[in-house]
Structure formats: structure tokens, C-alpha cells
Amino acid sequence: MADDLMAKVTAIVQRGQAGERDAARAELESMWAEVEAGGGDDFHRCVIAHFLADLQDGQRDELMWDERALAAVDGVSDERAQQFDQSLQVRGFLPSLYLSLAEDHRRLGDAASAHEFLEKAEAASDALGDDPYGELVKGIMGKVRQALAEGSTDPLPTD
């Protein structure tokens, strides 16, 4: 199924990753408002919020968007996700969504909540494939676990 909104989200995210963070954030926030006004569904909400979180300058704002992404995923079915991509299963979204929340809480100094969400991410990690994405998410889980063990609230190192 062609999903024009998802095509726009993908293009905006790529611009944000290329350094146009402020413009990408503004465009995704505008898309969020459209979706909230009835121009999309929970699949769109989940994806937009997940990517918007990564474009925030403040940790509390990032947490807010990651919470919105997790709340939206509850309304997404495998069938809906597969309308966008046949390979998607909602359970496969959970490790990344939980991991994002673990990292948000860790950065904010809430180790207990960070551990809770990291445990949820690890429990759902069997939904990840043996592919570059699965390896990436599992690698970040290890970095978050190590940072928690060290009591660090610093940004994770980028390799």
C-alpha cells in the first residue's frame, strides 16, 4: 500500500540526519498536528513520535515523544504495520521503543525507571532479527546497561 505520509516522514527524517534538525523537527511536529487532527492513525503516531524524539534538544522533551510513541504502538496491529511493509510485526517495534525510554530515564538520572525499561527491551529482543538493525539495537542495549552500571548520565558514545 502506498503511504504518502510515511514517504514524507522518511524524507524528513533523512534531512534531519543530514544536519537539518530544526527544520525536520518543525516539519514532523506539523505532521503530528495533522495526524492528531485525524489525518493519520496510531501507526503514523508511533513512527512520527519515535523519530521526533531523536530530534529534540532537551532530554525531557525526548522522553515526552518517546512516551507518545510507546502509547501509540498499543493501537497498531500487525496487519496495519504490514500495509506499509510486509515484514513488519508490532512486537519488533518494542525493543527500540523500550530502549529509547530506558536511555531517556538514564540520561535524566532515573536509574530505576531506566532499568525497568531496559529489562522490557531485553525481554522483547527475541523479536529482533539477525540483521544489522537487530545487532544495532542489541548493541545499544549493552551500552545502556554498561552506562547504568557506571552510574553515568552522559550521552552514549558513538562508534
Side-chain angles (χ1 to χ4, degrees):
M1 163 181 154
D3 190 330
D4 294 337
L5 196 132
M6 288 301 295
K8 289 178 187 175
V9 168
T10 301
I12 293 167
V13 168
Q14 289 171 345
R15 285 198 304 279
Q17 292 170 340
E20 297 177 38
R21 287 175 51 87
D22 292 340
R25 182 175 50 242
E27 287 181 69
L28 284 177
E29 287 173 350
S30 176
M31 291 182 82
W32 176 265
E34 277 181 45
V35 169
E36 287 294 282
D41 59 16
D42 283 333
F43 178 73
H44 294 133
R45 282 181 190 85
C46 180
V47 173
I48 292 168
H50 186 61
F51 286 118
L52 255 170
D54 293 338
L55 294 170
Q56 300 305 305
D57 293 329
Q59 202 60 49
R60 292 206 182 280
D61 291 332
E62 188 169 342
L63 173 62
M64 176 192 69
W65 285 107
D66 281 328
E67 289 173 337
R68 287 178 176 175
L70 183 63
V73 81
D74 285 341
V76 181
S77 67
D78 287 341
E79 294 76 22
R80 170 58 185 104
Q82 290 165 4
Q83 289 174 356
F84 175 68
D85 181 326
Q86 277 297 115
S87 69
L88 293 179
Q89 291 187 341
V90 175
R91 192 168 188 309
F93 297 6
L94 296 178
S96 179
L97 295 174
Y98 288 139
L99 183 58
S100 293
L101 286 161
E103 178 61 0
D104 295 336
H105 285 289
R106 182 191 71 79
R107 295 283 316 281
L108 289 167
D110 183 353
S113 292
H115 278 288
E116 177 185 331
F117 282 108
L118 181 58
E119 288 169 11
K120 288 179 178 186
E122 291 172 338
S125 68
D126 63 322
L128 296 170
D130 290 327
D131 56 19
Y133 175 75
E135 294 305 314
L136 173 71
V137 173
K138 290 174 190 173
I140 296 170
M141 283 181 200
K143 289 179 182 181
V144 170
R145 181 159 298 288
Q146 180 178 348
L148 278 167
E150 295 169 357
S152 173
T153 58
D154 294 334
L156 291 177
T158 55
D159 302 323

